[in-house]
Amino acid sequence: MLARSTSRCCTKLRAPPSRLSLRVARPQCRQFSSPSSGASHSTGPNTSSAGLLAPFTNELDKIAPSFRINGSQVRVLQTPAEFYETLKDKIRKAEKRIFLSTLYIGKSEKELIATLQEALRAKPDLKLSILTDALRGTREAPNPSCASLLAPLISEFGPDRVEIRMYHTPNLTGIRKKHIPKRINEGWGLQHMKLYGIDDEIILSGANLSSDYFSDRQDRYHVYSSRDITEYFSNLQTAVSSLSFLVKPSPDPSGFELVWPEDNSAISPLQNPKKFVAESTALLSGLISPKTAPRTALDDTPAEKRDTKVYMLAQFSQLLSPDTSTELPAVSHVLRTLAAPQYANSSWTFTAGYFNPAPSLTKLLLGTASTNNVVITASPYANGFYQSPGVSGLLPDAYTLLARRFVRAVHESKHRGTTVLKEWRKGTVGEPGGWTYHAKGLWVTMPKNENPSISLIGSSNYTKRSYSLDLEANALIVTENEDLKKRLGEEQRWLQDNTTVATREDFAKTERRVGLKVRIAMMIVQLVGGAL
């Protein structure tokens, strides 16, 4: 239930990040130096490698804020079960704060809720902040939903310790909101960030918080043991929360109501979408700019050991006018740089469970000088929408059509023979032992290196929708740390354990052909302003 009145809300929000008192980070000495003309690119792990990284970082420094850490401060998790157990373990040990940003929490995730309750009961000073999407989080109401699952936490521990927020897109209002079915209305924009912060550590992932993501839905998961990185993303969540509805327990059948607090940082998107965007821009633009972003200096890692740079990327296109988002410019710069001749023996691996990269990214991927490149995507039998009821059941075939077009584009480009598309499959969705694939990211390996020096992780699917409709948060790693490079290389390889190469001949087979109804559905979604 959406409550339009603001007078009923008495919960006081924390000050938005732009008004937080933050220590400015001291300059961090270590820099990647540019290679001199004619410099050898043979492998010294900390010499030629650093020189090849400089063209990336020199421009990235102008695009997004970053922190320098040691590579040992990044832990790479492998399986859904490891992600879930790590998350629960850190929640149980939390002392000060837990902040979670996700698309949704599964309406039956009683174990996760019990773990949060256990931590809150054990530590009276512990505070919990959760941010989800309003459309997805209330879709089943008045039946059990994400919102009804979380509301009792407020009843038990009070609004001073537990804050539940739900973000609503300004793109779905009025007649459009009234008539578009709930099952597909998320095509007009979502809160899609996946930030799982506990005290001074944060897990960045593409995974939501529901049973399949904890058991049989493959994703990626990085644990950052950095106070500065954690604080930055905490500020980001706080800012978006101040642009979101507040969940309050209610005696209504749904068990909750959504209220727009008077002290939010903008007017409700349902009341005045244009003004909401203008006021959101004023709040968020400074947070994501490298010139004005609040950067703390809390980590105690010695400067000489900070061999890894982590860029904080955000894609907030629906909230920024003009759009000063940093993810698409950063990814575009990385790929554009790879087109230079000195990267002729580099390689990249790109993955997206829902394969529909923005056209500009496809062009840049195929324009690199890199060789031995791999694209990993979900097989139709590992797609989360496989055999889904209604219109969404057409999506696996839609993604198949898009993958087929990409393979054709590779064949027609200079990358013919140097770039392959692999489909990930582990059983069949809906059958015993069947998994789905939801991983997304990019790895870049420098010439004459065995393992990646650059890796991108986060919530983005790298689609037109990600770059126009959804809220995304990501981290871009640029590292000289050989141990971290090895871990990133292992991650890149194990994600290919359940893959097979898909060729033009495979897509030409009868069972892979896409029907007319799928093509029509794709056109309809685009015509009414949505996106895959």
Side-chain angles (χ1 to χ4, degrees), residues 80-81 83-84 87 109 112 208-216:
F83 163 58
Y84 188 35
L87 179 65
E109 292 308 311
L112 178 60
N208 293 303
L209 301 179
S210 65
S211 58
D212 50 346
Y213 289 95
F214 302 151
S215 57
D216 54 16

Side-chain angles (χ1 to χ4, degrees), residues 428-444:
T428 300
V429 178
E431 297 181 4
W435 284 46
T436 54
Y437 185 78
H438 196 252
K440 44 261 200 165
L442 175 70
W443 300 258
V444 177

Side-chain angles (χ1 to χ4, degrees), residues 137-212:
T138 62
R139 188 166 67 185
E140 301 90 347
N143 295 321
S145 64
C146 171
S148 65
L149 177 76
L150 297 174
L153 291 172
I154 306 166
S155 299
E156 179 175 356
F157 300 103
D160 291 334
R161 294 187 64 198
V162 176
E163 179 182 83
I164 311 298
R165 291 282 182 155
M166 290 196 167
Y167 171 84
H168 192 292
T169 175
N171 297 330
L172 191 68
T173 61
I175 295 176
R176 182 186 286 174
K177 178 178 174 64
K178 181 178 179 180
H179 292 290
I180 291 177
K182 287 185 177 182
R183 182 65 183 171
I184 64 170
N185 64 10
E186 62 189 64
W188 280 259
L190 295 168
Q191 189 309 102
H192 200 245
M193 298 186 296
K194 317 295 167 62
L195 307 171
Y196 306 126
I198 298 94
D199 289 337
D200 296 326
E201 293 184 303
I202 187 167
I203 303 174
L204 296 183
S205 179
N208 293 303
L209 301 179
S210 65
S211 58
D212 50 346

Side-chain angles (χ1 to χ4, degrees), residues 28 30 66-75 223-229 299 301-310 312 477-481 484:
Q28 297 170 346
R30 189 184 182 101
S66 65
F67 294 99
R68 283 190 171 275
I69 62 174
N70 183 268
S72 63
Q73 293 174 257
V74 183
R75 177 183 169 199
V223 183
Y224 293 80
S225 299
S226 164
R227 296 173 67 188
D228 292 318
I229 292 174
D299 284 353
T301 304
E304 66 273 13
K305 293 187 177 180
R306 299 190 181 207
D307 51 20
T308 299
K309 204 163 193 178
V310 183
M312 316 288 107
I477 295 172
V478 182
T479 185
E480 297 176 77
N481 185 288
L484 177 55

Side-chain angles (χ1 to χ4, degrees), residues 22-209:
L22 297 171
R23 275 196 293 154
V24 178
R26 296 182 299 273
Q28 297 170 346
C29 314
R30 189 184 182 101
Q31 297 293 331
F32 299 113
S33 58
S34 299
S36 58
S37 60
S40 170
H41 295 148
S42 58
T43 73
N46 293 317
T47 55
S48 62
S49 176
L52 286 170
L53 293 175
F56 296 96
T57 58
N58 290 344
E59 185 65 25
L60 287 170
D61 288 341
K62 303 173 186 176
I63 295 174
S66 65
F67 294 99
R68 283 190 171 275
I69 62 174
N70 183 268
S72 63
Q73 293 174 257
V74 183
R75 177 183 169 199
V76 181
L77 308 182
Q78 182 171 355
T79 66
E82 186 181 11
F83 163 58
Y84 188 35
E85 292 306 316
T86 300
L87 179 65
K88 289 190 296 180
D89 180 64
K90 293 190 179 299
I91 288 173
R92 292 188 185 104
K93 295 176 180 177
E95 295 287 342
K96 301 173 297 182
R97 64 178 177 183
I98 300 169
F99 64 94
L100 309 173
S101 289
T102 187
L103 174 59
Y104 67 97
I105 297 178
K107 60 186 178 183
S108 60
E109 292 308 311
K110 293 184 171 53
E111 182 181 38
L112 178 60
I113 298 303
T115 304
L116 291 169
Q117 290 173 320
E118 176 187 335
L120 288 163
R121 290 166 184 162
K123 307 287 175 57
D125 294 331
L126 180 63
K127 294 188 177 183
L128 170 66
S129 174
I130 297 178
L131 171 67
T132 75
D133 183 72
L135 296 175
R136 178 63 74 90
T138 62
R139 188 166 67 185
E140 301 90 347
N143 295 321
S145 64
C146 171
S148 65
L149 177 76
L150 297 174
L153 291 172
I154 306 166
S155 299
E156 179 175 356
F157 300 103
D160 291 334
R161 294 187 64 198
V162 176
E163 179 182 83
I164 311 298
R165 291 282 182 155
M166 290 196 167
Y167 171 84
H168 192 292
T169 175
N171 297 330
L172 191 68
T173 61
I175 295 176
R176 182 186 286 174
K177 178 178 174 64
K178 181 178 179 180
H179 292 290
I180 291 177
K182 287 185 177 182
R183 182 65 183 171
I184 64 170
N185 64 10
E186 62 189 64
W188 280 259
L190 295 168
Q191 189 309 102
H192 200 245
M193 298 186 296
K194 317 295 167 62
L195 307 171
Y196 306 126
I198 298 94
D199 289 337
D200 296 326
E201 293 184 303
I202 187 167
I203 303 174
L204 296 183
S205 179
N208 293 303
L209 301 179

Side-chain angles (χ1 to χ4, degrees), residues 415-436:
H415 278 279
R416 180 179 180 180
T418 68
T419 299
V420 298
L421 184 141
K422 296 183 177 182
E423 291 186 324
W424 191 99
R425 182 180 181 183
K426 190 174 182 180
T428 300
V429 178
E431 297 181 4
W435 284 46
T436 54

